[in-house]
Amino acid sequence: MFSEHIEKVQLVDRGSSRRAQVGTLYLTASHTIFVDNKAEVRNEIWVLHSLVCNVEKQSVTALGYPLLVRCKNFQVIQLIIPHENDCNDVFMSLLRLSRARRYEELYCFSFKPNIDQTERDKAWDFIDLRAEYSRMGLPNKLWHVSPINREYRVCDTYPTDLFVPRSATLPVIVGSSKFRSRGRFPTLSYYYKETQAAICRSSQPLSGFSARCLEDEQMLEAIMKSNPGSRFMYVVDTRPKLNAMANRATGKGYESEDNYTNIKFQFIGIENIHVMRNSQQKLIEVSDLRSPSMGEFLVGLENSDWLKHIQTILAAGKFIAKAVAEEGVSVLVHCSDGWDRTAQVCSVASVLLDPYYRTLKGFMVLVEKDWVSFGHKFSHRFWRGLYNHFDRGLHPRQSVLDCLIAVKEETQQLEELLAACELKLAALGKEQANGPCVKKHTINQSQALWAEPVHLSLASSPQDYAGGILGTGPKEWPFQQRETERTKLNLFGDAAKSSDPDNSDQESGVADFSCHSSSGGESLPSEDSVKDADSDEAAFSTA
C-alpha cells in the first residue's frame, strides 16, 4: 500500500469536453475517495471497492499517468495521477482491495454502525419471506407451505419453504421435480388475492420429443384448479421458440398442449445470457465514446439491440400482469433452468401488479424472494464482470470454471517443462565441465530427467502414452537418445510439441480454450458451459 493520499490528481469527465477536476485521492480499506480541491464546492466521489469491476492502466500523457476504473454499476472513472510510482501503487492497491480473498474482508463484515448489538441483530430479520407471503393472503384453503424441500432434499437451488397447491400430494411434487431440469418443479412466486390467480415458476420439462410425466401433468392441473375463477392456465416459455425446439434434441424442451389439459402455451422470445452479454458489451462501448454526436450514439444504441431486449422483457411482464389481474388466469413461467429470464419476467409482473414492490423495502423483498431465494447465480454473473474483455474471446458454450481449470493445467505443464529444462541446462553445464568422457552418461541422465516428464504431462489420451516413453522398448532408446542430443539446444521448440498435437494451437503458452475441457462428461452444466441448459447454442449443435 502507498501513503494515505495523493494530491493533484485529475478526475476526467469522459462524457463531455469539460475541464478535468483537480483534487486529492484517498484510499481507505473500503472506499476510494476523490475530493475536489475547490473549497467552495467540496465535491466528493466515493466508490466502494467491491463495486470495482476492473482497473486499467492507459498510455502516458503529457498530464500524467491515466488510470481507468470501471464499476459494476456502469460508472466509469478516469484518473490522471502525476507520478508513475503513485499510479502503480494505486493500480495494485485497487486490484487487491476490489478482490477479497476471504469473506471476512468484505466491507459488510468490517462495517461498525453506531448502534448496539441488539439493534444489529434485528437487522437480520428485516426481510421475512413468511411475512411477505402472509401479506399476499397465504396460506389459505387453496395454497399451503410444503415441507418437502426442507434441508434442500428435492431441489438444492430452491428455498426450503415453498407454497404449492393443497391438492398437490408429495408423490406428485417429487415426480414433477424429476421431470424438470435441475429438479426445479412448479411452485408459487406471487399470489394475486383479488382474482385468486397465481404466478408460478419452474424450469423446462425433460420432455424431449415425446416423453411425458403423469405427476407433472397433475401438478399443472392442481395449479389450474387452485384458481376457482378460471378453466385454464397460461404456460409461458420465455425463450425463443426455435431455441426451445432445439433443446428437445437434448432431452429437454417444453410442454405439449396435447399432454397437458386446459393449458394455453405462449412463447415470449427473450434471448439467452450469451446474446444479452454481447448486447450489453456493445452498449458499454457506445457509452465509452468520447463526446459522441447524437447520431453516433443513437446508431450505436440501436445496433446493440439493448432496448429491444428490454422491451421484450417488459412485454412479457405486461402479458403476465394482464392475464392475472384482468383475465384472472394463473400463469406458469419458465425458461431453461429458471433463474435468469424467469426471475426477470416474474419480477416485472410483480412490480406491475403490486405497488408495494415499488417502494424501497418492497423492492428489497422482491429481490430476496424472486432472485436470492430461488437460486439466481449472483456470484457467477458478477464474477465475470460487466466489462470483462476476456468474455469476448470465451467460447460461447464454455464456462469460466472450464477455462480456469484449463489455464491451471497448462500452467502446470509449463512449470514442469521449465523445471525439466532447468535440469537439462544443469546437465549440459556438467557435460561442459567434465568433458567428452561423460557425454553418454549425461544423455541417459537427461533422458530420464526431462524427456519422460514432458511426455507424461502432455499426454491426454491412451494414444499419447503409447507414443511416448511408456510405449517404447529397449531397441528404441538409442534413437530417442540421438533425438535428445539433437534437440539439446532447442529446449523450448519441438520438444514441448512432440507428443501432443493439440499444442499446435498454443501461442506463448496460452491454451486453445475452444478444444479444452477438463470437466469431462459428468460435471454439472452451468448456464455458460457446454452442457448449459440455458445455452441454446448447445442444443443447436446437438440437433
Side-chain angles (χ1 to χ4, degrees):
M1 298 291 177
F2 57 98
S3 59
E4 295 181 356
H5 62 276
I6 300 176
E7 297 181 349
K8 298 181 180 179
V9 176
Q10 298 184 52
L11 177 66
V12 180
D13 187 352
R14 292 170 54 86
S16 69
S17 56
R18 289 185 300 178
R19 190 173 182 178
Q21 303 178 52
V22 180
T24 304
L25 185 69
Y26 298 86
L27 256 73
T28 70
S30 58
H31 290 80
T32 296
I33 308 170
F34 177 83
V35 180
D36 196 336
N37 284 345
K38 293 182 180 180
E40 65 276 9
V41 178
R42 189 61 181 180
N43 183 30
E44 297 182 1
I45 297 177
W46 290 57
V47 179
L48 188 64
H49 289 149
S50 60
L51 280 180
V52 174
C53 184
N54 63 31
V55 186
E56 177 185 344
K57 286 196 291 187
Q58 298 182 314
S59 301
V60 63
T61 66
L63 299 175
Y65 298 85
L67 204 62
L68 196 65
V69 181
R70 300 181 186 271
C71 301
K72 298 173 184 176
N73 60 355
F74 299 98
Q75 186 179 18
V76 180
I77 299 173
Q78 185 175 25
L79 304 170
I80 300 179
I81 301 175
H83 304 292
E84 182 178 8
N85 290 337
D86 289 337
C87 180
N88 291 332
D89 289 340
V90 172
F91 176 75
M92 297 304 297
S93 298
L94 282 177
L95 287 181
R96 173 66 185 88
L97 292 169
S98 62
R99 291 166 173 80
R101 296 173 183 173
R102 301 186 306 272
Y103 287 111
E104 293 79 7
E105 295 179 7
L106 295 175
Y107 177 60
C108 58
F109 291 99
S110 61
F111 177 66
K112 304 294 183 183
N114 295 323
I115 57 176
D116 57 26
Q117 188 64 35
T118 304
E119 292 295 324
R120 295 186 63 182
D121 291 339
K122 289 182 180 179
W124 289 104
D125 299 325
F126 181 72
I127 296 177
D128 185 358
L129 292 185
R130 279 183 171 266
E132 170 60 13
Y133 285 110
S134 177
R135 186 186 68 85
M136 299 180 195
L138 300 175
N140 57 24
K141 63 181 181 179
L142 300 172
W143 297 84
H144 73 127
V145 179
S146 173
I148 195 169
N149 203 41
R150 299 289 167 83
E151 301 177 359
Y152 306 99
R153 290 173 293 184
V154 175
C155 180
D156 58 358
T157 57
Y158 265 7
T160 56
D161 295 331
L162 296 167
F163 277 88
V164 296
R166 286 190 181 272
S167 59
T169 62
L170 294 182
V172 166
I173 297 174
V174 173
S176 177
S177 69
K178 293 180 180 179
F179 192 66
R180 294 279 170 171
S181 178
R182 299 181 183 268
R184 295 171 67 91
F185 59 90
T187 186
L188 183 75
S189 172
Y190 179 75
Y191 183 73
Y192 192 68
K193 55 187 175 183
E194 282 78 1
T195 61
Q196 295 183 311
I199 300 175
C200 297
R201 57 183 296 172
S202 70
S203 61
Q204 64 182 334
L206 307 179
S207 55
F209 289 104
S210 59
R212 57 186 299 181
C213 174
L214 181 60
E215 290 84 1
D216 194 67
E217 295 168 15
Q218 291 175 345
M219 187 70 184
L220 265 64
E221 185 178 2
I223 294 174
M224 187 270 296
K225 291 182 176 179
S226 295
N227 181 8
S230 176
R231 296 182 178 276
F232 70 96
M233 65 176 292
Y234 286 111
V235 176
V236 173
D237 191 329
T238 60
R239 300 170 293 180
K241 183 177 181 179
L242 189 61
N243 298 355
M245 292 178 65
N247 269 293
R248 298 176 71 180
T250 65
K252 299 174 183 177
Y254 54 93
E255 296 84 355
S256 171
E257 293 184 357
D258 295 333
N259 299 333
Y260 293 84
T261 59
N262 300 323
I263 72 166
K264 290 185 179 181
F265 200 86
Q266 182 79 24
F267 283 109
I268 296 297
I270 303 174
E271 297 291 348
N272 63 24
I273 188 171
H274 312 297
V275 177
M276 292 294 186
R277 279 202 178 108
N278 292 334
S279 176
Q280 187 184 66
Q281 186 62 47
K282 292 178 182 178
L283 178 66
I284 292 171
E285 291 172 357
V286 171
S287 303
D288 281 349
L289 293 176
R290 222 25 219 283
S291 302
S293 66
M294 181 58 69
E296 291 174 336
F297 177 79
L298 292 178
V299 169
L301 180 62
E302 182 179 4
N303 292 336
S304 71
D305 287 332
W306 183 253
L307 295 182
K308 172 186 172 184
H309 299 316
I310 299 300
Q311 188 271 339
T312 306
I313 296 172
L314 292 176
K318 176 184 175 182
F319 171 81
I320 295 171
K322 290 184 67 176
V324 170
E326 296 182 4
E327 299 181 43
V329 177
S330 296
V331 183
L332 172 65
V333 184
H334 70 73
C335 50
S336 292
D337 286 329
W339 49 40
D340 279 313
R341 289 171 280 196
T342 301
Q344 290 172 343
V345 171
C346 290
S347 298
V348 170
S350 298
V351 169
L352 293 175
L353 288 168
D354 197 330
Y356 173 68
Y357 294 130
R358 299 170 217 156
T359 66
L360 181 59
K361 182 176 180 181
F363 187 76
M364 295 168 64
V365 171
L366 181 66
V367 172
E368 179 74 22
K369 176 176 68 72
D370 276 342
W371 295 78
V372 178
S373 67
F374 277 97
H376 179 70
K377 300 192 292 185
F378 282 101
S379 59
H380 184 266
R381 298 293 181 254
F382 282 101
W383 183 89
R384 296 182 65 170
L386 299 175
Y387 300 91
N388 197 342
H389 294 283
F390 178 64
D391 287 353
R392 298 190 198 176
L394 186 66
H395 194 279
R397 293 171 293 169
Q398 193 173 30
S399 69
V400 173
L401 180 60
D402 289 334
C403 291
L404 289 178
I405 295 175
V407 169
K408 181 180 179 181
E409 290 179 348
E410 297 297 333
T411 303
Q412 290 174 347
Q413 292 175 9
L414 291 174
E415 289 175 350
E416 292 173 2
L417 178 60
L418 180 60
C421 292
E422 290 176 350
L423 292 173
K424 180 63 178 175
L425 290 174
L428 288 174
K430 290 181 181 180
E431 179 182 344
Q432 293 176 356
N434 297 334
C437 61
V438 295
K439 183 174 182 180
K440 183 176 181 181
H441 171 73
T442 305
I443 294 174
N444 290 336
Q445 184 185 36
S446 65
Q447 180 71 30
L449 289 177
W450 78 280
E452 182 173 352
V454 171
H455 284 279
L456 291 179
S457 63
L458 294 179
S460 60
S461 67
Q463 290 79 8
D464 294 326
Y465 286 101
I469 297 299
L470 297 181
T472 59
K475 293 182 180 180
E476 298 174 293
W477 291 346
F479 172 76
Q480 291 177 354
Q481 292 174 0
R482 290 196 299 271
E483 287 297 304
T484 303
E485 186 175 8
R486 181 175 64 83
T487 58
K488 285 178 182 177
L489 301 180
N490 191 21
L491 300 180
F492 293 95
D494 296 333
K497 299 179 181 180
S498 59
S499 64
D500 191 356
D502 288 343
N503 281 340
S504 61
D505 291 327
Q506 296 182 17
E507 293 181 7
S508 305
V510 179
D512 177 14
F513 293 149
S514 63
C515 61
H516 279 71
S517 178
S518 59
S519 59
E522 300 297 329
S523 62
L524 287 175
S526 67
E527 284 207 358
D528 299 300
S529 66
V530 177
K531 294 185 178 181
D532 184 1
D534 207 19
S535 175
D536 303 316
E537 293 91 334
F540 280 117
S541 65
T542 306

